Amino acid sequence: MSPTLFATLIAGAIVVVVAAIAVVTLLVLRTRSEALLSQRLYADDGRGNAEFENMPRGPLLQKMARGGRKIEGWVDAEGESGRLLVQAGWRSAEARLLWYVFQAALPAVMLVAVAAFWVWGESPNKGALMLLAVFAAAALSFLMPRWVLRSVAAKRCRRIQGEVPLFIHLLVLLFEAGLSTRQALASLVREGQGVLPELGREFDLLIRQVEAGADTGETLKSMGDALQVDDLGAVLSVLRQVDRYGGEIREPLLEALGVIEERRSLDLREKVNLLSGRMTVVMVGFFFPALLIFVAGPAFLSIIRALGEVNR
């Protein structure tokens, strides 16, 4: 490596680290001011921190959870993590505690890894690599938890979307048996845990809220807004309309099922078209040259031999 390139890399790494430190400092100052304001407005040490006080966990985990919540406040000013936690199914206080502990522990693990690299790492450009390692560790400490949470939430939403057609069929059967909306959902919660594991958990919480006195329509709307699964949202809107205005429910549910199946058919066709295009590229790149050699190879060799004999 030339001295000029090495000096450029060091200067770039220094600029990046200084910019990262400045951004983190601004975020810390903003979060600290918000925390002071929250202490003045609320009795505890910040909104939402009291939920960890009553849990049978040690004070260390509670402090780490508060630290993880502060880190989340730095990177999530719009409150996306709360929606993602609901979509991932991590609604309980214990699950949230473990999530915030993970957010607080990850920077410490990254710091230990960077320190181990500084102590035991051997490289001629150790200084520049150390600066880059510090920047990468800081970036991963803030971004990796969001990536993990988004991945878990997206996978669970796909599982919920896959359960919607069977959910509609079971609802139609239960309504034809004479059950009301609340009774049908309660029956699905009691007897449908094996076939509808994810939706069963969601509707179990919904039934508890309704039994506690919540309005069924508002609870269904809140559930659809939280999960943000298009197919499920269409079914929940039908249930809300029937619960509020009454009327026939079999036909609207079957119409919603037809729309869902048509949409899935279009998605499947799109995937098949994309797959056929990719297979065409693979065939042209691998199969066609082999076929050309197999078909035209003997004729080409014969021409070469004939030309060789003519030249002789």
Side-chain angles (χ1 to χ4, degrees):
M1 181 180 294
S2 62
T4 304
L5 181 60
F6 179 70
T8 304
L9 289 176
I10 292 180
I14 292 174
V15 170
V16 170
V17 171
V18 170
I21 293 174
V23 171
V24 171
T25 303
L26 291 176
L27 290 174
V28 169
L29 293 176
R30 189 182 68 175
T31 306
R32 188 173 182 182
S33 62
E34 292 178 355
L36 292 175
L37 181 60
S38 179
Q39 289 179 8
R40 295 176 183 177
L41 294 177
Y42 301 99
D44 57 354
D45 58 345
R47 178 178 290 183
N49 291 334
E51 64 176 313
F52 302 130
E53 297 293 340
N54 299 325
M55 294 190 62
R57 299 289 181 180
L60 178 60
L61 289 180
Q62 294 179 2
K63 292 181 179 179
M64 292 180 66
R66 296 191 191 98
R69 183 185 288 272
K70 291 180 180 179
I71 294 175
E72 181 184 275
W74 298 344
V75 298
D76 184 21
E78 298 179 356
E80 183 187 8
S81 297
R83 177 176 57 82
L84 292 176
L85 286 171
V86 172
Q87 292 179 356
W90 299 343
R91 284 192 175 93
S92 63
E94 184 174 359
R96 291 175 179 267
L97 173 68
L98 295 177
W99 167 249
Y100 290 131
V101 167
F102 169 71
Q103 277 194 320
L106 185 60
V109 173
M110 291 294 179
L111 181 62
V112 171
V114 171
F117 173 75
W118 175 258
V119 174
W120 289 289
E122 295 181 0
S123 175
N125 301 326
K126 190 174 182 180
L129 292 177
M130 185 64 186
L131 294 177
L132 294 177
V134 170
F135 175 73
L140 290 177
S141 299
F142 287 103
L143 297 179
M144 187 180 293
R146 305 296 302 280
W147 293 342
V148 173
L149 185 57
R150 287 174 180 171
S151 176
V152 174
K155 290 180 180 179
R156 185 169 182 267
C157 287
R158 286 195 294 267
R159 292 197 299 269
I160 292 175
Q161 189 171 2
E163 296 177 1
V164 172
L166 181 58
F167 169 63
I168 295 176
H169 286 294
L170 293 177
L171 272 183
V172 171
L173 291 176
L174 293 174
F175 284 128
E176 288 180 349
L179 299 182
S180 63
T181 303
R182 180 177 175 180
Q183 293 172 345
L185 295 178
S187 178
L188 287 176
V189 171
R190 290 194 308 269
E191 303 173 4
Q193 293 289 341
V195 293
L196 300 174
E198 301 297 341
L199 284 177
R201 292 172 55 189
E202 296 296 329
F203 283 109
D204 185 16
L205 178 62
L206 185 144
I207 291 298
R208 292 181 183 178
Q209 294 176 354
V210 171
E211 291 178 351
D215 182 69
T216 304
E218 293 297 328
T219 308
L220 290 172
K221 184 178 183 301
S222 300
M223 178 180 174
D225 294 340
L227 295 178
Q228 294 185 354
V229 179
D230 295 335
D231 296 344
L232 181 62
V235 179
L236 294 180
S237 63
V238 172
L239 294 178
R240 288 175 53 206
Q241 292 178 2
V242 173
D243 180 73
R244 177 172 297 182
Y245 304 108
E248 178 67 21
I249 193 173
R250 182 177 182 274
E251 293 301 327
L253 285 177
L254 293 179
E255 290 178 1
L257 179 61
V259 172
I260 292 172
E261 290 178 349
E262 183 178 359
R263 184 187 305 166
R264 293 191 176 186
S265 177
L266 294 176
D267 292 340
L268 184 59
R269 291 179 182 177
E270 183 179 357
K271 291 180 180 179
V272 170
N273 292 333
L274 292 176
L275 182 61
S276 63
R278 294 172 182 174
M279 291 303 297
T280 302
V281 174
V282 173
M283 184 176 65
V284 171
F286 296 95
F287 180 72
F288 183 73
L291 181 62
L292 185 63
I293 293 173
F294 179 76
V295 173
F300 183 75
L301 291 177
S302 299
I303 294 173
I304 293 298
R305 290 174 182 173
L307 292 176
E309 292 178 356
V310 170
N311 292 330
R312 290 176 184 176

